[in-house]
Amino acid sequence: MSGEVLLRGSGLTRRWGGLTAVSRVTLELERGTVHAVIGTNGAGKSTLINMLSGEIPPSEGRVELLGQDVTGWSQPRRARAGLGRSYQRTTVFPNFTVLENCRLAAQARKPRPWRWWQDASRCPDSVPVAHEAAVRAGLQHLLDREAGLLSHGQKRQLEIAMCLATAPQVLLLDEPLAGMGAEETERMLALLAELRAGHAILLVEHDMDAVFRVADRITVMVNGAVIASDTPQAVRSSAEVQAAYLGGH
Ligand SMILES: Nc1ncnc2c1ncn2[C@@H]1O[C@H](COP(=O)(O)OP(=O)(O)OP(=O)(O)O)[C@@H](O)[C@H]1O
Ligand SMILES: [Mg+2]
């Protein structure tokens, strides 16, 4: 179903000492949509993702996941409840294969401590989940490749696969297109467009062409605050956004 709010951040604020990195940000992520968050370096985008995912606690504000207040929940607990994320820097395990990386991610969803060094056969249900996630992310031909040998774009695809292996309903993606070539970018955009149907996706991205192609909604941050949150057309024609961020785009 489209239009259902899966994740809501309300009045989220994060202070680092005297610096307010994120200031009273409210946003809703709906199933069936890609919601882009854009802004210059240091605008607070990653800090916002980190508060939504549970990586860091907000100084103020609250986070609701599937209608439940999860503000006090840890990141693993939120992940088990359906909140997946990828990081601005690549975070794959280089000495494990594509499939093994996905399996580790799938096992991380389990509520009890898991032993990632044990043989996969001891955790048999994570293998098909891992396999499906890797295939969904377009890595079916690279399942046995060591992650450290993948191209940059393939590593980012693997990160999406690892995120999918946790069976999320919400995907928080921090610059998944960074450093990608044109072909890899196209592949990732096609994947995001495909994943949109069943998920709510938050996309932090600097590539404006990509953002305007894939986003259903765009939130613009400047110095930690939201200056616009609207359809791509409305954001593109906003004089305030033009002046503060987009320039001639
Ligand atoms: N752990 C931290 N301690 C202190 N200051 C921090 C910390 N993390 C982020 N900041 C500061 O908070 C502000 C927002 O940073 P953040 O990483 O959220 O920006 P961003 O929008 O993701 O930038 P970029 O586009 O470069 O990734 C910056 O001024 C940054 O220096
Ligand atoms: Mg960032």
Side-chain angles (χ1 to χ4, degrees):
M1 187 175 67
S2 180
E4 182 191 357
V5 175
L6 300 185
L7 187 73
R8 178 181 289 116
S10 310
L12 287 172
T13 297
R14 176 67 205 201
R15 286 183 280 271
W16 301 110
L19 171 81
T20 303
V22 173
S23 179
R24 296 163 171 252
V25 170
T26 292
L27 95 174
E28 293 183 341
L29 303 183
E30 295 179 8
R31 194 195 299 281
T33 62
V34 174
H35 188 140
V37 175
I38 63 173
T40 48
N41 294 119
K45 306 177 299 293
S46 293
T47 305
L48 175 63
I49 284 195
N50 287 338
M51 286 192 282
L52 293 170
S53 71
E55 218 94 0
I56 58 170
S59 306
E60 283 162 33
R62 60 189 254 146
V63 179
E64 283 166 60
L65 176 62
L66 304 171
Q68 211 173 3
D69 186 342
V70 300
T71 315
W73 292 20
S74 68
Q75 192 255 325
R77 191 172 174 201
R78 291 185 206 189
R80 289 195 294 274
L83 187 53
R85 71 160 300 176
S86 74
Y87 292 85
Q88 189 166 354
R89 293 209 188 89
T90 302
T91 53
V92 301
F93 299 100
N95 299 321
F96 289 85
T97 67
V98 164
L99 191 59
E100 283 164 348
N101 268 280
C102 292
R103 186 169 60 78
L104 296 177
Q107 287 175 342
R109 188 179 160 111
K110 297 195 175 303
R112 271 177 287 153
W114 43 279
R115 299 206 170 105
W116 54 268
W117 58 87
Q118 280 182 348
D119 191 79
S121 59
R122 300 205 192 182
C123 192
D125 54 333
S126 67
V127 176
V129 172
H131 190 271
E132 191 191 327
V135 171
R136 189 108 201 257
L139 295 168
Q140 58 280 352
H141 57 300
L142 295 166
L143 295 177
D144 298 324
R145 177 81 49 96
E146 269 184 39
L149 300 176
L150 298 175
S151 72
H152 175 73
Q154 290 165 340
K155 279 189 190 134
R156 311 253 32 173
Q157 271 174 276
L158 175 55
E159 284 171 342
I160 305 282
M162 290 168 72
C163 190
L164 292 176
T166 65
Q169 302 205 46
V170 180
L171 295 166
L172 307 178
L173 308 178
D174 201 351
E175 301 195 27
L177 304 171
M180 281 193 169
E183 202 177 308
E184 292 173 332
T185 298
E186 286 307 315
R187 199 170 300 139
M188 182 63 82
L189 286 178
L191 176 60
L192 295 184
E194 189 193 311
L195 291 175
R196 168 191 356 234
H199 302 89
I201 300 175
L202 185 150
L203 172 69
V204 166
E205 190 46 59
H206 283 290
D207 179 339
M208 284 307 110
D209 289 323
V211 163
F212 277 94
R213 273 175 60 191
V214 79
D216 301 290
R217 193 170 186 88
I218 300 178
T219 290
V220 186
M221 289 179 72
V222 172
N223 293 330
V226 170
I227 63 159
S229 186
D230 215 321
T231 61
Q233 299 89 309
V235 164
R236 199 196 289 272
S237 55
S238 155
E240 193 182 359
V241 174
Q242 288 288 337
Y245 183 58
L246 282 178
H249 188 85

